[in-house]
Amino acid sequence: MIQFSGVEKRYGGYLALRGIDGEVARSEVVVLCGPSGSGKSTLIRTVNRLEAIDKGTIKVEGVDVRDECQNRLRARIGFVFQQFNLFPHISALRNVTLAPVLLGKWPKREARERALHLLNRVGLGSLADRYPSQLSGGQQQRVAIARALAMEPPVMLFDEPTSALDPEMVGEVLAVMKGLARDGMTMVCVTHEMGFAREVADKVWFMAEGKVLERASPTEFFTAPSHPRTRNFLAAIRAA
Amino acid sequence: MIDILSRFGTSLLIGQFPHGPLGGIALTVVMSAVALLCAFPFAVGVAMARTSPIAAVRRLAAVYVYFVRGVPLLLLIFWAYFVVPLVTGVGTSATVTVICALVAYEGAYLGEAIRGALEALPRGQVEASRSLGLGYWSTSTYVVLPQVLVSCLPSMVNQFIILVKDTSLASLVGVHELTFSANQINAQLLTQPLEVYALLAAAYFVLCFALSRLSQFLESKIARIRSGSTGSAAVVAIAEAI
């Protein structure tokens, strides 16, 4: 589904990604974790070309991301941001319908119904006509997930989707993500929610200093990490 | 003052219309409205060019803005009035040339005000829109500008008010607008400049004050809609259109 080979990204003199290889299979849930500054967010942002890469290739469904029209590529990759980034000037419903209507994916008269269906799926059908400022953080993030799903992407990328939330709202967003995973969505999640990783992930990738140091199943990752950096990281988050 | 108004009221209001050309307050309002309606989309274009992803477009817009900001408006008006017909060979009315100069001038200032708001919009808004597969133009039209134009409404109104007052410079190239009418009346009366110019000041004040109030009304309407308490359907439609 997504293949990285030799991906490098530099910001000025700083090498943010130092040769990333790896593959995310269809319907697989990969959790990217690691200390801050390790390149996790940068890596998923390269997949939909929010960041350009300097070396290597990234293929999504077999097509090199640089060979495809940028907008078409992005339309088939759902992206969920840490800060939600809902459009504050339109209602939750219109946040969901905007792109599929403009891009001709949904006929205008069916848009409301289809958006309501998606909002119901994230448990927010009754709040469809509210503006983002009238929603809690957790609700906003769920709208943002519905908005990304509206383009019916085969892949969803999550960039620390619960890091900006109050603790009591983390659960509702994770529940939606678990539902997606159950439905067979291919997902790459940058997250510090180790409970989510343990429960939902098929693979955990541990990153540090722009490299993937370890790739393991959650059980292996949490019980028998092979890399010393992983052991340090796990000890640090357990102590917290 | 009352007798000035009763003698010259009509001429202050509409000039010699309908027996001659439109003048007075009416012409000032028409010039302001036309200049404003042309300057606004032009300024949006300037602001977008100033923040364009294409470097050449950015540079061109910057040259334009620096040039216009660097010369007095009066000079632009003289230029448009004397030089443009000479160069192009097409003579246009003084009113039209002044409007063109005003649009060129306001385009730079208003454009910079809008650019400021464009750059203040959190980057995540554009990223979210582009991540959905929307292109540059859709993103600008449906995501960026509706937010930006509301957030810079106060500074836009500021520029619009300046524009209304700047139409007074048209009197210097013989456009029979409000200031020109007041000058004429003063020349006839000779003894009452204080009263005549007080009337002139009052007229400009009323125009500008009305514009301020209109923008306050719009701002509070939009704020109310976006905070969710329901306004009338028409207002919602307006807010979503801008």
Side-chain angles (χ1 to χ4, degrees), chain B residues 5-78:
Chain B
L5 271 183
S6 63
R7 267 184 72 192
F8 299 104
T10 356
S11 119
L12 268 177
L13 218 55
I14 54 172
Q16 289 146 21
F17 191 78
H19 310 294
L22 189 70
I25 293 181
L27 184 59
T28 294
V29 169
V30 169
M31 283 175 69
S32 305
V34 172
L36 198 148
L37 285 177
C38 299
F40 176 60
F42 179 55
V44 170
V46 170
M48 286 180 67
R50 285 278 271 156
T51 54
S52 166
I54 305 159
V57 175
R58 277 202 307 274
R59 223 165 297 142
L60 202 69
V63 168
Y64 163 76
V65 168
Y66 290 150
F67 171 75
V68 170
R69 275 201 307 213
V71 295
L73 173 58
L74 189 56
L75 191 132
L76 283 183
I77 290 175
F78 285 160

Side-chain angles (χ1 to χ4, degrees), chain A residues 83-96 98 119 124 127-144 147 165 169 172, chain B residues 125 128 142-143 147 222-229 240:
Chain A
Q83 301 295 341
F84 333 135
N85 295 341
L86 288 186
F87 308 130
H89 60 298
I90 51 180
S91 66
L93 185 110
R94 293 239 313 161
N95 264 276
V96 176
L98 186 71
L119 287 170
L124 293 173
L127 303 180
D129 292 315
R130 294 233 184 144
Y131 282 76
S133 61
Q134 300 170 291
L135 299 172
S136 72
Q139 291 168 337
Q140 289 191 48
Q141 191 61 297
R142 286 188 281 155
V143 173
R147 176 176 70 177
L165 295 175
M169 292 169 185
E172 59 190 76
Chain B
Q125 289 292 309
Y142 296 98
V143 175
Q147 296 185 59
I222 291 167
R224 215 171 315 151
I225 292 162
R226 289 185 181 175
S227 72
S229 63
E240 298 203 334

Side-chain angles (χ1 to χ4, degrees), chain A residues 53-67:
Chain A
I53 57 175
D54 298 306
K55 259 197 202 144
T57 54
I58 300 174
K59 287 182 179 175
V60 176
E61 292 182 303
V63 185
D64 190 319
V65 296
R66 276 174 300 187
D67 291 343

Side-chain angles (χ1 to χ4, degrees), chain B:
Chain B
M1 255 200 213
I2 303 289
D3 61 282
I4 299 177
L5 271 183
S6 63
R7 267 184 72 192
F8 299 104
T10 356
S11 119
L12 268 177
L13 218 55
I14 54 172
Q16 289 146 21
F17 191 78
H19 310 294
L22 189 70
I25 293 181
L27 184 59
T28 294
V29 169
V30 169
M31 283 175 69
S32 305
V34 172
L36 198 148
L37 285 177
C38 299
F40 176 60
F42 179 55
V44 170
V46 170
M48 286 180 67
R50 285 278 271 156
T51 54
S52 166
I54 305 159
V57 175
R58 277 202 307 274
R59 223 165 297 142
L60 202 69
V63 168
Y64 163 76
V65 168
Y66 290 150
F67 171 75
V68 170
R69 275 201 307 213
V71 295
L73 173 58
L74 189 56
L75 191 132
L76 283 183
I77 290 175
F78 285 160
W79 225 332
Y81 185 67
F82 297 112
V83 182
V84 173
L86 217 67
V87 175
T88 60
V90 187
T92 42
S93 76
T95 311
V96 172
T97 53
V98 170
I99 289 174
C100 291
L102 283 170
V103 170
Y105 188 73
E106 273 301 302
Y109 282 91
L110 197 54
E112 287 297 275
I114 297 171
R115 176 174 75 97
L118 269 177
E119 287 176 346
L121 187 75
R123 228 168 52 127
Q125 289 292 309
V126 173
E127 285 187 350
S129 177
R130 301 303 300 265
S131 292
L132 290 165
L134 294 174
Y136 174 78
W137 294 107
S138 295
T139 298
S140 298
T141 312
Y142 296 98
V143 175
V144 175
L145 289 176
Q147 296 185 59
V148 162
L149 295 181
V150 169
S151 70
C152 75
L153 202 57
S155 45
M156 286 201 296
V157 171
N158 208 25
Q159 286 303 320
F160 288 157
I161 286 172
I162 291 173
L163 182 137
V164 170
K165 294 189 292 184
D166 280 347
T167 57
S168 60
L169 290 172
S171 62
L172 296 174
V173 289
V175 176
H176 291 217
E177 44 65 77
L178 185 57
T179 305
F180 190 90
S181 304
N183 278 335
Q184 271 187 325
I185 293 163
N186 186 47
Q188 278 188 46
L189 293 171
L190 286 172
T191 53
Q192 293 172 284
L194 189 66
E195 287 88 340
V196 171
Y197 288 117
L199 279 174
L200 180 65
Y204 278 112
F205 181 82
V206 167
L207 287 179
C208 296
F209 188 68
L211 211 50
S212 299
R213 292 313 298 259
L214 178 71
S215 84
Q216 267 177 25
F217 170 78
L218 268 180
E219 269 173 70
S220 65
K221 269 288 179 201
I222 291 167
R224 215 171 315 151
I225 292 162
R226 289 185 181 175
S227 72
S229 63
T230 46
S232 71
V235 178
V236 174
I238 293 169
E240 298 203 334
I242 45 179

